[in-house]
Amino acid sequence: MSKRDYYEVLGVARNADENEIKKAFRDLARKYHPDVSKEANADAKFKEINEAYQVLSDKDKRSAYDQFGHAGLNAAGFDFRDFGGFSSFNDIFGDLFSGMFSGGGGYSSASRGAVRGADLRYDLTIDFEEAVFGCEKQIKINRPANCTECGGSGAEPGTSSKQCPVCNGSGSISISQGFFAMRRTCHQCQGSGEIIEKPCKTCKGSGKISHEQNIDVKIPPGVETGSKLKLAGEGEPGSKGGPNGNLYIFLTVKKHDFFERVGDDIICEKDITFPLAALGGEIEVPTLKGVVKIKIPPGTQTNKIFRLRGYGSKSLRGGVGDQLVKIFVRTPTELNKRQKELLMQLAEEDPESKATGIGSGKSFLDKFKEVLGG
């Protein structure tokens, strides 16, 4: 049976460059690899794809193929048995297929040596003031620790592990499929190269036990919800001499009843009376550092903002923000007789109070007296 055109097999144009050919091969090999594909003819397709790539990725072979087709390769003396080699295949895929071959864990020469411990996450909620000024917290976590009975080896004290008889201690085994030779993680020792004949009774051979531990956490001033702290080496312990993982603290800051934080500034709202707004005076404003007095100038209007410099939150970048005090002029809702009389006198002196009401024929002062019951 005649062979298909190699460019057609990989689905690339005849002028495709090296990167395009490599990408096409990766995509097709991933789809039709016998360990992955469920198609009945996956073996044949994978063989065809690999053969096409071996030709088109080689400058001399591609040149001969472009000039004379399949016959040109035979005339040039290229041995098609060489197409089963895995040097270029491994160069392209590296660890891409290693996870598939090993059931997700992957195999490498380092898999039998020191392994770094896993990272851990801890969610911590702190108060508004603690976030602004910083604080120290003690948290309690459950994390795996090396078994105290076996020292983390997983073997019963007084015994030791032995070399895996399946892979002879290499941690991997060779699998042949047609003219392909692949290596996958040993199923007997799971890549460790060793077999534990008598597992430790305390840790059941895992080498790890659950351990509750208190950890002191220093929270810097200026953190916000979403801030993340890294505690190096406080994660799960490594195995076979590998380093510990890290512990990451994810922070949530509680809302405050009076203050609101925007960046490094702290905002609050303060009500003042109408006479104070009109005549001016002095008020006391709460801050996170204590009560501060600010002067209210005559004629202050609602939404006027006063800035207290340096009374905001400390910043993670250095410096400190301000506190912004937003003023609201409070309108009285319940007036006694004397208060009504005073307001009426004020209205009589106010030029705007003499303006005529729309469609009523009454002055503003007359309508004002009606509202007050005068």
Side-chain angles (χ1 to χ4, degrees):
M1 187 176 77
S2 60
K3 293 184 177 181
R4 292 173 61 200
D5 178 76
Y6 287 145
Y7 292 99
E8 178 184 344
V9 171
L10 296 184
V12 298
R14 301 193 75 82
N15 61 349
D17 61 24
E18 180 182 347
N19 290 332
E20 292 175 309
I21 291 173
K22 183 178 292 187
K23 182 179 184 304
F25 173 62
R26 282 175 61 98
D27 294 342
L28 290 171
R30 184 185 295 112
K31 180 179 180 181
Y32 291 109
H33 192 280
D35 276 4
V36 179
S37 178
K38 296 181 180 180
E39 296 192 23
N41 60 345
D43 283 328
K45 284 190 176 182
F46 190 61
K47 177 181 178 181
E48 183 182 45
I49 292 165
N50 188 62
E51 183 177 312
Y53 176 73
Q54 295 291 341
V55 171
L56 299 185
S57 63
D58 184 283
K59 182 178 180 181
D60 294 332
K61 294 177 183 178
R62 183 176 181 180
S63 177
Y65 178 73
D66 287 344
Q67 294 182 63
F68 306 108
H70 295 291
L73 295 173
N74 294 326
F78 294 124
D79 189 351
F80 281 88
R81 291 175 297 177
D82 293 337
F83 292 168
F86 264 76
S87 60
S88 60
F89 182 86
N90 286 332
D91 290 342
I92 290 179
F93 287 94
D95 293 332
L96 178 64
F97 280 122
S98 64
M100 299 178 186
F101 299 157
S102 63
Y107 170 76
S108 68
S109 59
S111 66
R112 291 177 286 114
V115 179
R116 179 181 179 276
D119 293 333
L120 297 177
R121 168 175 176 155
Y122 187 94
D123 295 312
L124 178 63
T125 299
I126 60 177
D127 293 330
F128 188 90
E129 292 87 345
E130 292 175 327
V132 170
F133 297 113
C135 63
E136 292 188 5
K137 292 285 189 179
Q138 187 177 82
I139 63 174
K140 183 178 294 185
I141 64 171
N142 273 306
R143 62 181 178 184
N146 285 329
C147 178
T148 55
E149 187 70 18
C150 66
S153 69
E156 186 70 17
T159 68
S160 61
S161 59
K162 70 172 186 177
Q163 179 177 289
C164 175
V166 175
C167 65
N168 294 321
S170 68
S172 68
I173 55 177
S174 179
I175 302 294
S176 297
Q177 291 188 346
F179 53 72
F180 287 107
M182 297 172 289
R183 299 192 72 81
R184 65 170 59 177
T185 301
C186 176
H187 62 277
Q188 185 69 22
C189 65
Q190 302 302 314
S192 68
E194 300 176 341
I195 296 295
I196 298 176
E197 292 185 308
K198 294 184 177 181
C200 170
K201 294 182 177 63
T202 301
C203 65
K204 305 295 190 297
S206 68
K208 300 287 190 296
I209 57 174
S210 180
H211 177 65
E212 187 175 78
Q213 184 174 358
N214 293 325
I215 298 178
D216 292 324
V217 181
K218 187 175 182 179
I219 299 173
V223 296
E224 301 179 78
T225 292
S227 293
K228 181 174 67 174
L229 306 179
K230 174 184 174 181
L231 276 64
E234 294 292 352
E236 292 190 6
S239 59
K240 298 187 177 180
N244 291 357
N246 300 321
L247 172 63
Y248 291 92
I249 310 293
F250 287 77
L251 298 174
T252 298
V253 179
K254 294 180 182 178
K255 291 185 179 298
H256 197 278
D257 293 335
F258 183 70
F259 300 112
E260 180 182 355
R261 181 175 168 185
V262 178
D264 296 326
D265 292 333
I266 291 177
I267 299 174
C268 68
E269 297 177 353
K270 181 67 176 177
D271 290 350
I272 64 173
T273 63
F274 172 72
L276 178 60
L279 300 175
E282 192 175 68
I283 62 172
E284 292 185 341
V285 177
T287 75
L288 292 175
K289 298 178 181 180
V291 176
V292 173
K293 292 183 178 181
I294 62 175
K295 290 183 178 181
I296 302 296
T300 295
Q301 302 295 312
T302 289
N303 294 330
K304 172 70 177 178
I305 294 178
F306 294 89
R307 183 181 293 271
L308 299 175
R309 298 195 177 278
Y311 282 82
S313 171
K314 290 187 177 181
S315 173
L316 290 172
R317 301 176 298 277
V320 63
D322 302 327
Q323 180 168 325
L324 306 179
V325 183
K326 189 175 184 179
I327 296 299
F328 282 89
V329 179
R330 184 172 66 250
T331 302
T333 56
E334 296 182 2
L335 299 172
N336 58 35
K337 184 177 180 181
R338 176 57 178 164
Q339 290 171 328
K340 291 179 181 180
E341 290 175 352
L342 292 174
L343 284 175
M344 287 171 61
Q345 292 177 20
L346 175 62
E348 289 174 353
E349 297 295 330
D350 186 359
E352 295 183 5
S353 300
K354 297 178 182 180
T356 303
I358 299 176
S360 66
K362 297 180 179 179
S363 69
F364 175 82
L365 180 56
D366 293 332
K367 294 195 296 180
F368 190 71
K369 289 180 179 180
E370 290 179 1
V371 171
L372 297 178

